Amino acid sequence: MITGRLEFIDLGPGAWQLTTPDGGRVRLVGPIPRSLDGREVVVEGKRLDGAGVAMVGPIVEVHRIEAR
Amino acid sequence: MWTPLLLSLSALPATAAGRVVIDFTDGTTLPEARRVSGLSDLEWVHERSADESLAVATVPDPSEVVARLAEQPGIEAVEEPVRVEALGFPDDPLFDQQWNLRAIGVARGWRAGGGGGVTVAVIDTGVTRVADLEETLILDGFSFVEGEPTAEDGNGHGTHVAGTIAQSTHNGLGVAGIAPQARILPIKALSRHGFGMSPWIASAIDEAVDQGAQVINLSLGGARSDVIAVATEKAVAAGVLVIAAAGNTGQEGVSYPGALPGVLGVSAVGPKDELAPYSSWGAGVALSAPGGDKRSPGGGILQDTVDGAGSHAFKEFQGTSMATPHVAGAAAVLLSASGGDRALTQRLLLEQAVDLGEPGPDPRYGHGRLDLAAAVGALAVRRNGLLFALGAMAAAVLTGIGAGRRRGRALVIAATSALAAGGAFVLPLLPLPPSALTGLLARPLLLWPAAMLPDPYWRNPLLLSAALPFLLTFFLGPTRTLGPIAAGVSAGIATHLAFGAVTGALDVWLLPGPLGSAWLGLHAGLSALCAMAAIGVARLRDKEGAP
């Protein structure tokens, strides 16, 4: 489980990025409601080994996400 | 898409004395137009001109008709047709907004053939044939993504990337691409969410090599993966140019596979040639290219891409993903123009880049910002210019041996030989509208097939041989007017074949290494013999005084 600030960033077609309290950045994939943009969130998910189009940091597949 | 120069002139009949063109109020029917103007043989300019009620007629005295109809109600404009020159190339209406293509000097790349014959694998979210890719050569694609069996793009990223490389250009629609004559091989390794597992990406790279791609575009990145590293290593060893994004962290540290040895990692700059704030940088950045910076209006990279439910839209994206296909497109242009010379292409991409940041290569910009115009210029002058000069010299030697004192004929032979060996190498440097013809004329004769046939077929032993010199000499050699042309072409081809044998610049398919060099050397000799035979025949005729 990770927490941080969720943002839909303007890279390529757009991507979800989570900035953790220590400044780390994680790219989230999976269905995420646009209403959470800019909110502090809690994410449950799985770290994926691979590559993506956003290239902002480690990639986490979201299983559950909610505002804190 | 490469509309010939002549067709790019106005659709209106040119200079036709006796013709007037009349623009009636929209909605006017043809019978009404004939009645209003009093001109019975009036016709629409084109069947599509009926909407705008634009008509043309042949009249005995055009200036009288223009004067008479100028103030007539129901007529918006009337004039004698004016010839409209093709000043603007391309005619894609949104090209004005593509600062990124102008920044790299795309027009010179178009004049050098626009990447004809070269296959670029786009390993991405798939590629959908949107409206502005209609005329682009897109090969049958593959998908390695679980649950997404086709190479159709469900995300929009891959189609945008493919557009930067080979958007249909000069098609009167949307935007342009860097290498519009290149073949796009879409390989889906990223899902509609823009993410791919490492085995999908590794398999996609393997497949690209197997399918004969000469360039692989990887607008993707992540942590280091051994399977991707192995696949990439194999691709590089197979002679494929692998180009990958540096990443979008805005910090030091290039993402993989961009950071792998042998891969050209690409960082991104905005319209002011400054590193984009999102661009990663560090060891592994080989060069930078426009990736967009949307902090300034219009600062993104504009291409056509999918837009939701089966529709398309011209969208501005930013990212090192967008910078990468600029380099891939430029590589395709240079590979095509150089006859698939990978080492030369890579050298030109790096050496000719505009040095930014600290002098010399640096971690932010690598060798500098991509400059396709400079690279094409260097290729034209250094390689083709050299071949041109060598071709002329070879002809001078051969005619010195066999042609007697016919200076005019010797000159024709030398000029033909120079053109066959090096092509009209200055053509890409002149401000001419590009066309399929300039793309061919600008290159050595032996590399014409490279603009049309996919690699490796164009470099099969038969096409890199004395076959053409033999045929020309046999059929044209004995004729008075065309004999010297046959001699010149044979001498030029002999020059290029010999150059290839000595420098390794021509890679004969099916004949690797020394075998290829031996083949080229043998056929250089045979071609020279053909030239001498054609010269000898002319000399005999001189002696015999035959007509």
Side-chain angles (χ1 to χ4, degrees):
Chain A
M1 195 160 71
I2 44 174
T3 60
R5 186 166 179 276
L6 182 71
E7 248 183 307
F8 192 73
I9 53 166
D10 192 1
L11 281 171
W16 288 106
Q17 173 182 287
L18 186 79
T19 308
T20 57
D22 61 2
R25 284 188 286 178
V26 177
R27 195 243 162 149
L28 302 180
V29 293
I32 296 171
R34 284 303 282 257
S35 58
L36 291 177
D37 192 5
R39 305 281 295 273
E40 293 289 325
V41 293
V42 186
V43 178
E44 271 178 38
K46 187 177 75 175
R47 168 87 185 258
L48 296 175
D49 286 326
V53 299
M55 298 175 268
V56 292
I59 301 162
V60 169
E61 183 183 44
V62 176
H63 296 160
R64 200 164 70 87
I65 184 166
E66 58 189 38
R68 261 209 306 180
Chain B
M1 80 195 73
W2 243 203
T3 315
L5 172 59
L6 289 175
L7 292 183
S8 63
L9 298 174
S10 163
L12 292 180
T15 59
R19 283 161 84 87
V20 287
V21 58
I22 308 166
D23 189 1
F24 294 90
T25 313
D26 288 0
T28 309
T29 63
L30 197 54
E32 283 169 1
R34 287 178 179 152
R35 187 176 50 76
V36 168
S37 62
L39 301 169
S40 56
D41 68 341
L42 198 72
E43 295 292 344
W44 296 137
V45 166
H46 187 273
E47 59 189 24
R48 286 170 173 263
S49 310
D51 292 352
E52 292 79 31
S53 305
L54 190 65
V56 65
T58 304
V59 294
D61 184 353
S63 36
E64 180 272 324
V65 174
V66 170
R68 178 168 63 82
L69 298 180
E71 302 301 323
Q72 180 104 354
I75 291 178
E76 291 175 348
V78 54
E79 67 181 23
E80 291 177 62
V82 213
R83 180 184 284 271
V84 180
E85 297 294 343
L87 291 176
F89 188 103
D91 64 3
D92 309 64
L94 300 176
F95 178 65
D96 285 355
Q97 298 176 39
Q98 292 186 287
W99 59 269
N100 47 310
L101 296 197
R102 285 193 298 280
I104 66 164
V106 72
R108 204 177 264 188
W110 291 333
R111 287 197 288 272
V118 174
T119 303
V120 183
V122 175
I123 296 179
D124 213 290
T125 58
V127 177
T128 294
R129 191 182 278 282
V130 287
D132 210 3
L133 282 175
E134 281 289 342
E135 293 177 24
T136 301
L137 233 164
I138 302 178
L139 304 174
D140 290 339
F142 303 87
S143 173
F144 290 95
V145 175
E146 282 170 23
E148 297 185 27
T150 75
E152 286 293 302
D153 185 5
N155 175 281
H157 187 269
T159 303
H160 197 280
V161 164
T164 301
I165 298 169
Q167 200 89 70
S168 301
T169 298
H170 203 54
N171 60 339
L173 174 74
V175 285
I178 295 165
Q181 306 301 310
R183 294 153 202 264
I184 295 290
L185 175 64
I187 307 187
K188 186 191 274 191
L190 306 177
S191 73
R192 60 197 166 85
H193 299 299
F195 165 79
M197 307 291 284
S198 42
W200 304 348
I201 296 162
S203 306
I205 294 170
D206 289 340
E207 188 64 31
V209 177
D210 290 347
Q211 294 294 324
Q214 290 144 284
V215 182
I216 294 178
N217 186 93
L218 293 163
S219 287
L220 54 87
R224 194 192 141 84
S225 144
D226 284 344
V227 286
I228 295 177
V230 168
T232 306
E233 211 171 283
K234 279 195 227 160
V236 172
V240 180
L241 273 170
V242 183
I243 299 156
N248 297 323
T249 62
Q251 294 168 0
E252 183 169 12
V254 172
S255 68
Y256 288 89
L260 291 170
V263 175
L264 297 182
V266 185
S267 65
V269 296
K272 292 177 187 162
D273 260 357
E274 289 163 352
L275 195 73
Y278 56 77
S279 180
S280 304
W281 51 278
V285 170
L287 74 172
S288 57
D293 183 352
K294 289 194 184 173
R295 291 176 303 176
S296 46
I301 305 298
L302 186 69
Q303 305 291 164
D304 194 13
T305 189
V306 291
D307 185 31
S311 183
H312 78 112
F314 295 94
K315 291 186 181 175
E316 267 187 56
F317 284 177
Q318 64 179 0
T320 50
S321 283
M322 280 65 246
T324 307
H326 283 75
V327 178
V333 168
L334 295 169
L335 277 171
S336 170
S338 67
D341 194 327
R342 177 187 179 276
L344 179 65
T345 295
Q346 180 160 335
R347 207 167 63 235
L348 289 170
L349 286 172
L350 301 181
E351 281 179 7
Q352 297 299 319
V354 176
D355 191 17
L356 298 175
E358 300 157 26
D362 63 76
R364 283 186 163 73
Y365 302 96
H367 284 75
R369 193 257 297 137
L370 173 68
D371 188 346
L372 179 57
V376 167
L379 174 68
V381 174
R382 287 194 208 159
R383 165 65 65 84
N384 297 345
L386 174 66
L387 280 168
F388 187 93
L390 290 173
M393 285 196 289
V397 170
L398 290 173
T399 48
I401 293 167
R405 290 184 296 277
R406 297 284 185 113
R407 279 208 185 147
R409 187 162 68 207
L411 206 65
V412 168
I413 295 172
T416 313
S417 174
L419 284 169
F425 68 96
V426 292
L427 269 184
L429 312 182
L430 304 176
L432 298 169
S435 70
L437 196 62
T438 59
L440 285 180
L441 293 178
R443 63 178 65 208
L445 192 56
L446 274 184
L447 301 187
W448 281 34
M452 297 176 266
L453 298 175
D455 190 82
Y457 305 110
W458 73 267
R459 50 189 177 86
N460 73 68
L462 196 64
L463 287 176
L464 296 178
S465 74
L468 181 64
F470 179 78
L471 289 173
L472 287 177
T473 304
F474 189 80
F475 289 108
L476 305 180
T479 67
R480 173 182 289 275
T481 44
L482 295 176
I485 305 281
V489 169
S490 300
I493 287 180
T495 306
H496 196 172
L497 290 171
F499 181 84
V502 173
T503 64
L506 291 173
D507 190 5
V508 190
W509 183 35
L510 306 173
L511 298 175
L515 219 56
S517 295
W519 174 270
L520 294 171
L522 172 71
H523 283 270
L526 291 173
S527 302
L529 282 176
C530 288
M532 290 177 73
I535 294 164
V537 167
R539 203 179 165 212
L540 269 178
R541 201 178 29 229
D542 292 346
K543 275 191 181 165
E544 290 167 3

